[in-house]
Amino acid sequence: MPNISFQLFSTREFPVDETLGLLQKTGIKEVEGFGPYYDDPAATKAKLDAHGLSMPTGHFSLDMVEKEPARTIEVAKTIGVEAVIVPYIMPDDRPKNAAEWKAFGERLAKISEPIRAAGLQFGYHNHDFEFFALEDGSLPIDHIVNASEHIKIELDLCWVFVAKHDPVAWINKLADRLISVHVKDRAPEGEATDESGWADVGHGVIEWPPIVAALKDAGVPRYVIEHDNPNNQERLITRSYATVSKF
């Protein structure tokens, strides 16, 4: 069974100690970090240790990885992060055409160099916009992947679904590049509006059995539970883990 992790961005509006306690109680052993957890990495490591948790993967902003590689590496190694993942590009900073996306892929390859030289993995996490066709018919995700074999991918399966692509096809296509996947779910159209249309894993519209089969065939080592806007973190954690632990 692959490792099951939890993206802490999901519960950013809830008290951290409460979240970590719920994860410990549920049986989840890993978390995926993001920005605020890097302000005091030693304190983060101590808090994780106290709850029997580790943070093998982390989302680090493009700006931090590019401009502060030494700090990125120090934070990662202090906490125990093994894979540095760039999670997002702000709308105003996104490339507009194939040439710009190709250059962006090359930029990622360049900034990955000190990270990899330090013995860490480097990855990129998608949203939906990387799967929208450009004017020449190419996809941004292809330009990112083609830039370097050293750019691993954390495939967010629900965002692939939202972009109206088949997650199974992309798991198969990127099998040798997948460092992990984000597992989250989408509510039926018009439902869960108070949670921005997201659902706990297994309680939405995504058909998981064929996806899980593809993940197993690809040997994906880590499933990261996520929900972009939950209003009840205990429900999210317990229900999602109940689903994913049976994958």
Short mmCIF file of all heavy atoms in Angstrom, two decimals, residues 47-86:
data_model
loop_
_atom_site.label_atom_id
_atom_site.label_comp_id
_atom_site.label_asym_id
_atom_site.label_seq_id
_atom_site.Cartn_x
_atom_site.Cartn_y
_atom_site.Cartn_z
N LYS A 47 6.85 19.86 16.51
CA LYS A 47 5.40 19.67 16.58
C LYS A 47 4.99 18.39 15.87
O LYS A 47 4.14 17.63 16.35
CB LYS A 47 4.70 20.88 15.99
CG LYS A 47 3.22 20.98 16.34
CD LYS A 47 2.63 22.26 15.80
CE LYS A 47 3.07 23.47 16.58
NZ LYS A 47 2.40 23.57 17.91
N LEU A 48 5.60 18.13 14.72
CA LEU A 48 5.30 16.89 13.99
C LEU A 48 5.73 15.68 14.80
O LEU A 48 4.98 14.70 14.92
CB LEU A 48 6.00 16.90 12.64
CG LEU A 48 5.52 17.92 11.61
CD1 LEU A 48 6.43 17.90 10.38
CD2 LEU A 48 4.08 17.66 11.20
N ASP A 49 6.93 15.74 15.36
CA ASP A 49 7.44 14.63 16.17
C ASP A 49 6.51 14.33 17.34
O ASP A 49 6.27 13.16 17.68
CB ASP A 49 8.83 14.95 16.70
CG ASP A 49 9.91 14.90 15.62
OD1 ASP A 49 9.63 14.38 14.52
OD2 ASP A 49 11.02 15.40 15.89
N ALA A 50 5.98 15.38 17.96
CA ALA A 50 5.10 15.21 19.12
C ALA A 50 3.82 14.47 18.76
O ALA A 50 3.19 13.86 19.63
CB ALA A 50 4.78 16.57 19.74
N HIS A 51 3.43 14.54 17.49
CA HIS A 51 2.21 13.87 17.04
C HIS A 51 2.49 12.64 16.20
O HIS A 51 1.58 12.09 15.56
CB HIS A 51 1.34 14.85 16.24
CG HIS A 51 0.73 15.94 17.07
ND1 HIS A 51 1.37 17.13 17.33
CD2 HIS A 51 -0.46 16.01 17.72
CE1 HIS A 51 0.59 17.90 18.08
NE2 HIS A 51 -0.52 17.24 18.34
N GLY A 52 3.74 12.19 16.19
CA GLY A 52 4.07 10.99 15.44
C GLY A 52 3.93 11.14 13.94
O GLY A 52 3.61 10.17 13.24
N LEU A 53 4.20 12.35 13.44
CA LEU A 53 4.02 12.65 12.02
C LEU A 53 5.35 13.01 11.37
O LEU A 53 6.27 13.51 12.02
CB LEU A 53 3.05 13.83 11.85
CG LEU A 53 1.60 13.60 12.29
CD1 LEU A 53 0.87 14.92 12.43
CD2 LEU A 53 0.87 12.69 11.31
N SER A 54 5.43 12.79 10.07
CA SER A 54 6.58 13.24 9.28
C SER A 54 6.07 14.04 8.10
O SER A 54 4.89 13.98 7.73
CB SER A 54 7.40 12.04 8.78
OG SER A 54 6.64 11.24 7.89
N MET A 55 6.97 14.80 7.47
CA MET A 55 6.62 15.65 6.33
C MET A 55 7.60 15.34 5.19
O MET A 55 8.53 16.10 4.93
CB MET A 55 6.67 17.13 6.71
CG MET A 55 6.18 18.08 5.63
SD MET A 55 6.40 19.84 6.08
CE MET A 55 5.12 20.06 7.33
N PRO A 56 7.39 14.24 4.47
CA PRO A 56 8.33 13.87 3.40
C PRO A 56 8.23 14.72 2.15
O PRO A 56 9.17 14.77 1.36
CB PRO A 56 7.98 12.41 3.11
CG PRO A 56 6.55 12.29 3.51
CD PRO A 56 6.38 13.20 4.68
N THR A 57 7.10 15.39 1.96
CA THR A 57 6.94 16.28 0.79
C THR A 57 6.44 17.63 1.26
O THR A 57 5.74 17.74 2.28
CB THR A 57 5.95 15.70 -0.24
OG1 THR A 57 4.63 15.61 0.35
CG2 THR A 57 6.37 14.32 -0.72
N GLY A 58 6.80 18.67 0.51
CA GLY A 58 6.37 20.01 0.87
C GLY A 58 6.18 20.89 -0.34
O GLY A 58 6.91 20.76 -1.32
N HIS A 59 5.19 21.76 -0.27
CA HIS A 59 4.97 22.76 -1.32
C HIS A 59 5.77 24.01 -0.97
O HIS A 59 5.60 24.59 0.11
CB HIS A 59 3.49 23.10 -1.43
CG HIS A 59 2.68 22.07 -2.14
ND1 HIS A 59 1.37 22.26 -2.49
CD2 HIS A 59 3.02 20.83 -2.60
CE1 HIS A 59 0.91 21.19 -3.12
NE2 HIS A 59 1.90 20.31 -3.19
N PHE A 60 6.66 24.39 -1.87
CA PHE A 60 7.49 25.58 -1.71
C PHE A 60 7.22 26.52 -2.89
O PHE A 60 7.21 26.07 -4.04
CB PHE A 60 8.97 25.21 -1.69
CG PHE A 60 9.41 24.45 -0.48
CD1 PHE A 60 9.11 23.10 -0.33
CD2 PHE A 60 10.14 25.08 0.52
CE1 PHE A 60 9.52 22.39 0.79
CE2 PHE A 60 10.56 24.38 1.65
CZ PHE A 60 10.24 23.04 1.79
N SER A 61 7.00 27.78 -2.61
CA SER A 61 6.67 28.72 -3.68
C SER A 61 7.79 28.80 -4.71
O SER A 61 8.97 28.63 -4.39
CB SER A 61 6.40 30.11 -3.10
OG SER A 61 7.60 30.71 -2.65
N LEU A 62 7.40 29.06 -5.94
CA LEU A 62 8.37 29.25 -7.02
C LEU A 62 9.37 30.33 -6.65
O LEU A 62 10.58 30.18 -6.87
CB LEU A 62 7.62 29.63 -8.30
CG LEU A 62 8.47 29.96 -9.53
CD1 LEU A 62 9.24 28.72 -10.00
CD2 LEU A 62 7.58 30.50 -10.66
N ASP A 63 8.89 31.40 -6.06
CA ASP A 63 9.75 32.52 -5.69
C ASP A 63 10.81 32.09 -4.67
O ASP A 63 11.99 32.43 -4.79
CB ASP A 63 8.89 33.65 -5.12
CG ASP A 63 9.63 34.97 -5.06
OD1 ASP A 63 10.14 35.40 -6.10
OD2 ASP A 63 9.70 35.56 -3.97
N MET A 64 10.40 31.31 -3.68
CA MET A 64 11.34 30.86 -2.65
C MET A 64 12.39 29.91 -3.22
O MET A 64 13.59 30.07 -2.96
CB MET A 64 10.58 30.18 -1.51
CG MET A 64 11.47 29.67 -0.39
SD MET A 64 10.48 28.96 0.97
CE MET A 64 11.78 28.36 2.05
N VAL A 65 11.95 28.96 -4.02
CA VAL A 65 12.88 27.98 -4.58
C VAL A 65 13.88 28.66 -5.50
O VAL A 65 15.07 28.34 -5.50
CB VAL A 65 12.13 26.87 -5.33
CG1 VAL A 65 13.11 25.88 -5.95
CG2 VAL A 65 11.18 26.13 -4.39
N GLU A 66 13.39 29.63 -6.27
CA GLU A 66 14.26 30.29 -7.25
C GLU A 66 15.21 31.29 -6.62
O GLU A 66 16.40 31.34 -6.95
CB GLU A 66 13.39 31.00 -8.30
CG GLU A 66 14.17 31.59 -9.45
CD GLU A 66 13.26 32.02 -10.58
OE1 GLU A 66 12.18 32.60 -10.31
OE2 GLU A 66 13.61 31.76 -11.74
N LYS A 67 14.70 32.08 -5.66
CA LYS A 67 15.49 33.16 -5.10
C LYS A 67 16.24 32.79 -3.82
O LYS A 67 17.23 33.43 -3.46
CB LYS A 67 14.59 34.38 -4.84
CG LYS A 67 14.00 34.98 -6.11
CD LYS A 67 13.12 36.16 -5.80
CE LYS A 67 12.52 36.76 -7.07
NZ LYS A 67 11.61 37.90 -6.77
N GLU A 68 15.76 31.77 -3.14
CA GLU A 68 16.37 31.36 -1.87
C GLU A 68 16.60 29.85 -1.84
O GLU A 68 16.08 29.16 -0.96
CB GLU A 68 15.48 31.77 -0.70
CG GLU A 68 15.21 33.26 -0.58
CD GLU A 68 14.33 33.57 0.61
OE1 GLU A 68 13.10 33.48 0.48
OE2 GLU A 68 14.88 33.89 1.69
N PRO A 69 17.36 29.32 -2.78
CA PRO A 69 17.56 27.86 -2.80
C PRO A 69 18.22 27.34 -1.53
O PRO A 69 17.87 26.26 -1.05
CB PRO A 69 18.42 27.64 -4.03
CG PRO A 69 19.07 28.96 -4.31
CD PRO A 69 18.07 29.99 -3.89
N ALA A 70 19.18 28.10 -0.98
CA ALA A 70 19.87 27.63 0.22
C ALA A 70 18.91 27.54 1.39
O ALA A 70 18.94 26.57 2.18
CB ALA A 70 21.03 28.57 0.56
N ARG A 71 18.04 28.54 1.53
CA ARG A 71 17.05 28.51 2.61
C ARG A 71 16.05 27.38 2.38
O ARG A 71 15.66 26.69 3.32
CB ARG A 71 16.32 29.85 2.71
CG ARG A 71 15.22 29.84 3.76
CD ARG A 71 14.62 31.20 4.03
NE ARG A 71 13.42 31.07 4.85
CZ ARG A 71 12.19 31.23 4.40
NH1 ARG A 71 11.97 31.59 3.14
NH2 ARG A 71 11.15 31.09 5.20
N THR A 72 15.65 27.20 1.13
CA THR A 72 14.72 26.10 0.81
C THR A 72 15.30 24.77 1.24
O THR A 72 14.63 23.95 1.87
CB THR A 72 14.44 26.07 -0.71
OG1 THR A 72 13.84 27.32 -1.11
CG2 THR A 72 13.52 24.92 -1.07
N ILE A 73 16.55 24.55 0.93
CA ILE A 73 17.23 23.29 1.28
C ILE A 73 17.36 23.15 2.79
O ILE A 73 17.12 22.08 3.35
CB ILE A 73 18.60 23.23 0.59
CG1 ILE A 73 18.42 23.12 -0.93
CG2 ILE A 73 19.43 22.08 1.12
CD1 ILE A 73 19.65 23.45 -1.72
N GLU A 74 17.72 24.23 3.46
CA GLU A 74 17.87 24.19 4.91
C GLU A 74 16.54 23.85 5.58
O GLU A 74 16.50 23.02 6.51
CB GLU A 74 18.39 25.54 5.43
CG GLU A 74 18.57 25.56 6.95
CD GLU A 74 19.00 26.93 7.46
OE1 GLU A 74 19.06 27.88 6.67
OE2 GLU A 74 19.26 27.04 8.67
N VAL A 75 15.48 24.50 5.14
CA VAL A 75 14.15 24.23 5.70
C VAL A 75 13.77 22.76 5.47
O VAL A 75 13.33 22.07 6.40
CB VAL A 75 13.10 25.16 5.07
CG1 VAL A 75 11.69 24.68 5.41
CG2 VAL A 75 13.30 26.59 5.54
N ALA A 76 13.96 22.32 4.24
CA ALA A 76 13.59 20.94 3.90
C ALA A 76 14.34 19.94 4.77
O ALA A 76 13.76 19.00 5.33
CB ALA A 76 13.86 20.68 2.43
N LYS A 77 15.62 20.14 4.91
CA LYS A 77 16.43 19.17 5.66
C LYS A 77 16.17 19.24 7.16
O LYS A 77 16.24 18.22 7.85
CB LYS A 77 17.90 19.37 5.34
CG LYS A 77 18.21 19.06 3.88
CD LYS A 77 19.65 18.68 3.64
CE LYS A 77 19.82 18.09 2.24
NZ LYS A 77 21.17 17.58 2.00
N THR A 78 15.83 20.41 7.66
CA THR A 78 15.49 20.53 9.08
C THR A 78 14.22 19.77 9.41
O THR A 78 14.13 19.07 10.42
CB THR A 78 15.34 22.01 9.48
OG1 THR A 78 16.57 22.69 9.25
CG2 THR A 78 14.94 22.15 10.94
N ILE A 79 13.23 19.90 8.54
CA ILE A 79 11.93 19.26 8.78
C ILE A 79 11.95 17.79 8.39
O ILE A 79 11.23 16.97 8.97
CB ILE A 79 10.82 20.00 8.03
CG1 ILE A 79 10.71 21.45 8.53
CG2 ILE A 79 9.47 19.31 8.19
CD1 ILE A 79 9.72 22.31 7.76
N GLY A 80 12.77 17.44 7.41
CA GLY A 80 12.79 16.08 6.90
C GLY A 80 12.08 15.92 5.57
O GLY A 80 11.76 14.80 5.15
N VAL A 81 11.84 17.05 4.89
CA VAL A 81 11.23 17.02 3.55
C VAL A 81 12.22 16.42 2.57
O VAL A 81 13.38 16.82 2.51
CB VAL A 81 10.84 18.45 3.11
CG1 VAL A 81 10.40 18.47 1.65
CG2 VAL A 81 9.73 18.99 4.01
N GLU A 82 11.76 15.46 1.79
CA GLU A 82 12.60 14.78 0.80
C GLU A 82 12.30 15.26 -0.62
O GLU A 82 13.13 15.06 -1.51
CB GLU A 82 12.38 13.27 0.89
CG GLU A 82 12.73 12.69 2.24
CD GLU A 82 12.20 11.28 2.43
OE1 GLU A 82 11.55 10.75 1.49
OE2 GLU A 82 12.43 10.70 3.51
N ALA A 83 11.14 15.86 -0.82
CA ALA A 83 10.74 16.32 -2.15
C ALA A 83 10.20 17.74 -2.07
O ALA A 83 9.22 18.01 -1.37
CB ALA A 83 9.69 15.40 -2.75
N VAL A 84 10.87 18.65 -2.77
CA VAL A 84 10.47 20.06 -2.86
C VAL A 84 9.57 20.20 -4.08
O VAL A 84 10.00 19.92 -5.21
CB VAL A 84 11.70 20.97 -2.97
CG1 VAL A 84 11.30 22.40 -3.31
CG2 VAL A 84 12.51 20.92 -1.68
N ILE A 85 8.33 20.64 -3.87
CA ILE A 85 7.35 20.69 -4.95
C ILE A 85 6.85 22.12 -5.13
O ILE A 85 6.39 22.76 -4.17
CB ILE A 85 6.16 19.76 -4.65
CG1 ILE A 85 6.65 18.30 -4.50
CG2 ILE A 85 5.09 19.86 -5.73
CD1 ILE A 85 5.62 17.35 -3.94
N VAL A 86 6.96 22.63 -6.35
CA VAL A 86 6.41 23.95 -6.69
C VAL A 86 4.92 23.76 -6.98
O VAL A 86 4.56 23.00 -7.88
CB VAL A 86 7.13 24.56 -7.90
CG1 VAL A 86 6.42 25.83 -8.38
CG2 VAL A 86 8.59 24.86 -7.55
#
